[in-house]
Amino acid sequence: ELMVKGGVNTYSEARRSINRPGGSSIPLGRVWTEDLTNTELDFNYIATVNKDFSEDLSFKALVGFNNNQRELTRRRVTGNQIIQAGLYLTSATSQQQSNYDFHSLRRLYGAYFDMSLSYKDYLFFNLVGRNDWSSTLPEGNNSYFYPGASVSFVFTDALSIPDNILNSGKVRVSATKVGNDAGPYRTNTNYFINTPYTTPAGTFTNRAGLLNTLRNPQLKPEFTTEYEGGLDLKFLNNKIGLDLTYFHRQSTEQIAQASLTRSSGFSQEWVNVGRLDNKGWEIGLDATPVSTASGFTWNMYFAYSRIRTEVVDAGPTGEIFIGGAASTFGTIHRNGQPYGQIFGTAQAKDDEGNILIDKDTGMPFNAAKSTIIGNPNPDFNLGWTNTFTYKGFTLSALIDWKQGGDFYSFTGASLVLRGQLGFQADREALRVVPGVYGDPGTYEAVLDDQGNKIKNTTPVTAFDSHFTNGWGAYGADAVNVYDGTVIRLREVSLGYSIPKSVLSKTPFGSARFSVSGRNLWWKAPNVMQDLNLDPEFLSEAADSNIQGFEYGATPTTRRYGFNLSLTF
């Protein structure tokens, strides 16, 4: 059997931004327009073979070739100094300039196969493989192969286990390797054209400059190898189902940005990170505790995941500082530590964990060196779905629980700095920071004549406590790191399917309507009092390798919806 299938996914946007004259930042006004087109072409050429060697043994093979192309164009023109209010066109401005004219082209060719063998419908073996050729990697590194294999065994069928003991049981193991290329234009460091400089005499001087990120001409593809084992069970007449999975995932040569010494002329570079390990458990439990003859059912589903990560090899120095919030404050990958730790300044403390206080100021001071101040990776995630059905009605509710996962909050730092939270209402009382006296020169506790530590008794004002180097944005980075534990009522929905008997005299085959609400309630117990910040809405993109930073997230919103579904 031969098959060819393909598709085109494209979209275009025409953007316009207007700053009317009279504002403080752009008093003469500004208009810019941007045209964006993004197109992806994907075609697959597939040959399939099915063969039954006997009544018990069957074979299926698939061989294919994939052609993928992604193209992006962006053009932006800015007009400054609007000539006539109300006429907001780039041509109706005194000065026009092209900010950028960008074109990106990325091609990927892949050849792949998928072979499966089954024996008596209870023993299955699968073998897959793929080789890709990428245009985004340098010649010599742009061809890479990755295979995979899996075996599954339905032991209840093979051993003829009675249904009254176990309805279904399957064990599975697999080993899979996956390759990935880089984004476009990460291998060659190039100049870009700047806006020409105009002298007072009107002479134009063309300019070009280097990018701040150093490209890597030896960039290699990244690979992820995963070993997985699982057990699927159903018993008590399928009223209870258990899906248990353990996995160990190893990622090598991951493509990431690392900080560079600014004296090199660059701030970051593209690198291949040595090795990252992930291992964990995923558990799914499906249960139907109530099912009556009248049609009422109550179904529960629990989805639990617990993942632990470790940076095994971060290169020659044993660590890679990715950056993020600042040049010395951001995400770090360090040998022996979990992935993506928060790295920054912390208050100096003694060996017992007491904050060291400068006796002259009554305020804490920072430790001599920056350190890891938070782990953004959660301890576990748990989802609990309850579904009730009765005579066409369906009521469903999903509760999420994320335990742990530290994050730094710029919103909290800014509000504390300015004294805008409820617990800061008392601005007149003096405060004594809990801690012991310490020496800012030696970073050690000061002892009295008997060799005992001295408890801090130096009072400070609210201004000194929050606006200077105590807490808030001017304090150590660690004082604005919070535990991101959050429990959330993710979604509630109520639907009704109209009986077919009611629709028999209508042109509709089926009719169903439902109402729903999302993010109806949440509680983050370990976020600072009065901050009312949802830890889920952090700021970094998932593919940035930076995690655990909140840069001023918009307030959490609730969403309500209504759906009507009709078939004819």
Side-chain angles (χ1 to χ4, degrees):
E1 180 181 338
L2 300 177
M3 179 175 62
V4 177
K5 62 179 182 179
V8 179
N9 184 8
T10 185
Y11 65 88
S12 297
E13 296 181 10
R15 303 172 177 176
R16 179 183 296 271
S17 174
I18 300 171
N19 293 93
R20 296 186 298 174
S24 58
S25 60
I26 310 174
L28 300 180
R30 181 180 66 188
V31 179
W32 63 256
T33 59
E34 181 180 32
D35 297 319
L36 181 151
T37 300
N38 190 34
T39 302
E40 180 174 357
L41 306 176
D42 190 85
F43 293 91
N44 282 277
Y45 312 88
I46 302 171
T48 305
V49 176
N50 291 281
K51 176 68 175 178
D52 292 332
F53 295 110
S54 67
E55 185 177 341
D56 297 332
L57 188 64
S58 62
F59 173 77
K60 180 179 180 180
L62 179 151
V63 179
F65 182 80
N66 174 242
N67 179 5
N68 182 275
Q69 175 178 295
R70 305 171 197 177
E71 186 173 12
L72 172 66
T73 59
R74 297 180 66 176
R75 297 182 178 90
R76 177 168 169 171
V77 176
T78 298
N80 295 306
Q81 301 181 18
I82 294 174
I83 297 174
Q84 175 63 48
L87 189 60
Y88 301 125
L89 304 173
T90 53
S91 58
T93 57
S94 300
Q95 300 175 353
Q96 296 91 36
Q97 66 183 53
S98 176
N99 292 82
Y100 49 76
D101 191 343
F102 177 77
H103 177 250
S104 171
L105 183 63
R106 176 181 188 175
R107 289 194 177 107
L108 182 74
Y109 300 122
Y112 54 90
F113 66 87
D114 184 342
M115 298 185 296
S116 59
L117 193 68
S118 67
Y119 177 71
K120 288 190 175 181
D121 289 332
Y122 63 69
L123 181 61
F124 304 89
F125 174 73
N126 181 252
L127 185 66
V128 297
R130 177 175 174 123
N131 196 95
D132 283 338
W133 293 266
S134 172
S135 68
T136 64
L137 293 171
E139 188 175 353
N141 291 340
N142 63 338
S143 175
Y144 49 97
F145 175 74
Y146 43 99
S150 64
V151 176
S152 60
F153 177 51
V154 185
F155 59 85
T156 48
D157 292 346
L159 304 177
S160 299
I161 298 176
D163 288 350
N164 60 349
I165 299 176
L166 189 63
N167 299 110
S168 175
K170 180 174 71 173
V171 62
R172 48 188 166 79
V173 293
S174 65
T176 306
K177 186 176 183 179
V178 178
N180 188 38
D181 61 352
Y185 313 126
R186 294 180 180 177
T187 59
N188 294 317
T189 305
N190 60 284
Y191 286 87
F192 62 93
I193 305 300
N194 286 323
T195 303
Y197 172 71
T198 306
T199 67
T203 303
F204 290 94
T205 302
N206 292 322
R207 299 186 302 158
L210 283 171
L211 297 169
N212 290 327
T213 302
L214 180 65
R215 271 44 174 173
N216 188 343
Q218 281 82 44
L219 208 60
K220 295 179 289 186
E222 57 185 21
F223 290 100
T224 298
T225 302
E226 182 169 341
Y227 304 94
E228 181 179 299
L231 182 66
D232 300 334
L233 302 174
K234 291 184 179 180
F235 40 92
L236 295 181
N237 293 324
N238 293 318
K239 288 186 176 182
I240 298 179
L242 176 66
D243 184 351
L244 179 66
T245 301
Y246 175 80
F247 68 90
H248 189 168
R249 185 182 303 131
Q250 183 182 107
S251 300
T252 58
E253 306 296 350
Q254 286 193 299
I255 299 171
Q257 283 184 298
S259 295
L260 272 179
T261 303
R262 301 302 175 101
S263 59
S264 66
F266 301 91
S267 59
Q268 292 183 312
E269 64 174 336
W270 285 106
V271 297
N272 286 105
V273 183
R275 176 179 159 187
L276 172 68
D277 283 8
N278 291 269
K279 56 185 177 181
W281 292 90
E282 294 177 346
I283 302 174
L285 178 61
D286 189 294
T288 305
V290 178
S291 180
T292 67
S294 63
F296 175 78
T297 62
W298 170 26
N299 176 262
M300 295 189 298
Y301 184 78
F302 297 89
Y304 171 86
S305 65
R306 179 186 183 274
I307 302 173
R308 295 295 179 264
T309 68
E310 181 186 359
V311 178
V312 179
D313 180 10
T317 63
E319 65 182 36
I320 292 180
F321 180 69
I322 301 297
S327 60
T328 58
F329 175 37
T331 293
I332 193 169
H333 303 311
R334 178 177 286 177
N335 285 357
Q337 295 290 332
Y339 169 85
Q341 301 293 277
I342 303 174
F343 183 82
T345 57
Q347 293 174 331
K349 296 182 180 180
D350 64 11
D351 53 2
E352 297 177 332
N354 298 307
I355 298 175
L356 298 182
I357 307 296
D358 185 343
K359 186 175 182 178
D360 294 334
T361 64
M363 294 297 298
F365 52 89
N366 289 352
K369 296 181 179 180
S370 295
T371 187
I372 291 175
I373 58 176
N375 179 7
N377 302 289
D379 299 327
F380 65 82
N381 288 281
L382 176 64
W384 179 24
T385 303
N386 284 274
T387 304
F388 304 89
T389 59
Y390 182 69
K391 293 185 178 180
F393 288 95
T394 301
L395 174 64
S396 180
L398 171 59
I399 298 174
D400 279 347
W401 175 12
K402 188 196 79 167
Q403 178 65 38
D406 298 327
F407 71 99
Y408 180 93
S409 173
F410 276 88
T411 298
S414 178
L415 294 178
V416 169
L417 176 76
R418 291 166 174 81
Q420 293 180 312
L421 298 179
F423 73 88
Q424 298 174 289
D426 186 359
R427 301 173 183 273
E428 304 301 324
L430 296 177
R431 292 159 170 79
V432 176
V433 179
V436 298
Y437 289 130
D439 187 340
T442 63
Y443 302 98
E444 295 182 356
V446 174
L447 305 180
D448 60 18
D449 295 338
Q450 288 74 41
N452 298 317
K453 297 174 183 178
I454 307 172
K455 185 178 179 180
N456 175 39
T457 58
T458 305
V460 295
T461 65
F463 178 87
D464 287 336
S465 175
H466 298 297
F467 193 81
T468 59
N469 61 337
W471 282 262
Y474 295 155
D477 300 326
V479 302
N480 295 297
V481 173
Y482 305 103
D483 176 277
T485 295
V486 59
I487 301 172
R488 181 187 314 277
L489 181 58
R490 175 74 64 181
E491 183 173 9
V492 175
S493 65
L494 176 63
Y496 179 68
S497 296
I498 299 176
K500 292 186 179 296
S501 59
V502 178
L503 300 173
S504 59
K505 296 182 180 181
T506 71
F508 305 115
S510 66
R512 175 180 173 79
F513 65 87
S514 63
V515 292
S516 63
R518 287 186 61 84
N519 199 35
L520 299 179
W521 174 87
W522 59 269
K523 177 67 174 179
N526 299 323
V527 174
M528 182 171 52
Q529 178 186 353
D530 302 323
L531 186 55
N532 196 33
L533 180 76
D534 188 345
E536 184 172 275
F537 291 87
L538 304 187
S539 306
E540 298 292 350
D543 61 351
S544 69
N545 285 308
I546 298 173
Q547 57 178 356
F549 289 94
E550 182 272 323
Y551 293 121
T554 56
T556 300
T557 59
R558 297 186 180 95
R559 290 191 297 170
Y560 302 94
F562 173 81
N563 178 265
L564 176 64
S565 177
L566 302 171
T567 63
F568 298 88

